[in-house]
Amino acid sequence: MNAKTEDFPIINLDETDSTNRYLTLLCDRELVSEYTTVRADYQTAGKGQRGNTWESERGKNLLFSLVLYPTFLEAHRQFLLSQLTALAVKETLELWTDEIRIKWPNDIYWKEKKICGLLIENELSAEGIARSIIGIGLNVNQEIFHSDAPNPVSLRQITGLEKNPMEVLTYILTYTRRFYEGLRNDKDGTIASLIARQYNLALFRREGWHPYEDASGRFMARLLRVEEDGRYILQDEAGNERGYLFKEVQYVL
């Protein structure tokens, strides 16, 4: 697959508080073309899921956000954006390593370690999804992590080789565009079904029994499926099905 940086409008920053915030403000202020990407060497207040911050050594990793305008998607189908973005990152990382998995809803893991986090912020309208800002933090070349995050890993730690972050970025954008444009032109639901199927096959701890924790405490369960709206369906040891939306259940790592 050919992946070329010049195929995408990229804004390179030495430093910003958050690439998601920078791109959101830019889109609010002016007309920004689809696939415009803001990349920073360093973020002073990078946002993660659950209000977390994302640790990244200056210049070592990929910190970026891109904008899409998926007006062809109804609001109830927005989880497809999480699925296709996670798959784009997974496909990219598999150019250099294996055992890449997607930890529901859209963290990227290598074995039992986290290599990438995604934060997707959608703006909805009466017609559907007006705008999607997709933020990605991917550990590329960092070798030492100082935060209390339990299990970070970088591509360099996995492969022993330094990677060009811009090359990695270009592949992610290229795979994202491939999935996204397929979805845009999906007349019979074939591409949406393919994305959902690939996503489910790539899930972290897809097989076997594993510990989870919800508002009632810890329990053992196995994954049954992820539904179209992103609901995570488990079966506990008593045979009961338990359905969760994001933030309602956590893996015990």
Side-chain angles (χ1 to χ4, degrees):
M1 180 184 67
N2 292 323
K4 296 181 292 185
T5 305
E6 57 266 27
D7 288 347
F8 304 97
I10 297 177
I11 299 169
N12 290 299
L13 304 174
D14 289 333
E15 182 177 307
T16 188
D17 54 355
S18 157
T19 57
N20 260 38
R21 182 174 181 275
Y22 184 100
L23 186 53
T24 298
L25 293 174
L26 183 65
C27 291
D28 288 345
R29 199 167 58 239
E30 61 188 70
L31 183 63
V32 176
S33 62
E34 200 160 46
Y35 297 109
T36 293
T37 299
V38 174
R39 187 207 62 81
D41 284 335
Y42 186 70
Q43 288 185 139
T44 58
K47 294 189 291 184
Q49 300 285 13
R50 303 179 190 273
N52 297 330
T53 57
W54 181 263
E55 178 195 357
S56 181
E57 188 176 344
R58 186 181 294 273
K60 292 289 187 178
N61 302 318
L62 264 180
L63 307 166
F64 70 96
S65 300
L66 71 144
V67 62
L68 301 175
Y69 301 105
T71 53
F72 57 89
L73 278 181
E74 303 91 343
H76 72 272
R77 303 180 72 206
Q78 59 186 292
F79 188 62
L80 276 165
L81 297 171
S82 279
Q83 291 176 313
L84 74 86
T85 307
L87 285 170
V89 176
K90 177 181 181 292
E91 295 278 344
T92 296
L93 292 174
E94 286 181 338
L95 296 172
W96 297 288
T97 187
D98 55 11
E99 297 191 68
I100 299 295
R101 295 290 180 264
I102 301 169
K103 177 175 166 285
W104 175 85
N106 51 21
D107 283 340
I108 310 299
Y109 269 51
W110 174 76
K111 298 184 177 180
E112 294 281 324
K113 295 180 177 289
K114 182 174 178 178
I115 190 170
C116 178
L118 285 75
L119 178 65
I120 301 179
E121 297 176 310
N122 295 321
E123 183 178 290
L124 306 181
S125 68
E127 292 73 33
I129 306 172
R131 184 177 75 195
S132 184
I133 303 283
I134 301 170
I136 297 177
L138 173 61
N139 298 327
V140 180
N141 292 317
Q142 189 161 337
E143 295 183 90
I144 299 173
F145 293 88
H146 301 285
S147 77
D148 57 2
N151 56 348
V153 71
S154 70
L155 194 55
R156 179 165 186 169
Q157 288 176 321
I158 295 168
T159 65
L161 301 171
E162 186 168 335
K163 304 296 180 191
N164 181 345
M166 290 302 294
E167 179 186 8
V168 180
L169 170 61
T170 306
Y171 275 112
I172 292 173
L173 294 176
T174 302
Y175 280 118
T176 298
R177 183 174 61 186
R178 176 184 292 181
F179 284 119
Y180 181 74
E181 296 301 333
L183 197 58
R184 189 201 302 274
N185 298 306
D186 190 18
K187 304 304 182 186
D188 59 2
T190 301
I191 301 301
S193 295
L194 176 65
I195 289 170
R197 184 165 63 251
Q198 286 186 259
Y199 174 88
N200 276 276
L201 288 173
L203 281 170
F204 177 70
R205 294 183 178 175
R206 187 171 67 89
E207 298 177 342
W209 295 84
H210 300 282
Y212 292 87
E213 187 170 4
D214 64 10
S216 301
R218 292 193 177 191
F219 62 98
M220 295 293 293
R222 66 186 183 96
L223 175 62
L224 294 180
R225 63 189 178 276
V226 176
E227 296 188 339
E228 287 185 5
D229 63 354
R231 192 177 298 269
Y232 196 67
I233 308 299
L234 299 171
Q235 182 183 53
D236 64 25
E237 291 178 300
N240 301 312
E241 283 197 15
R242 302 186 182 202
Y244 298 96
L245 292 174
F246 180 51
K247 298 186 179 180
E248 294 178 347
V249 69
Q250 297 181 52
Y251 296 85
V252 177
L253 299 172

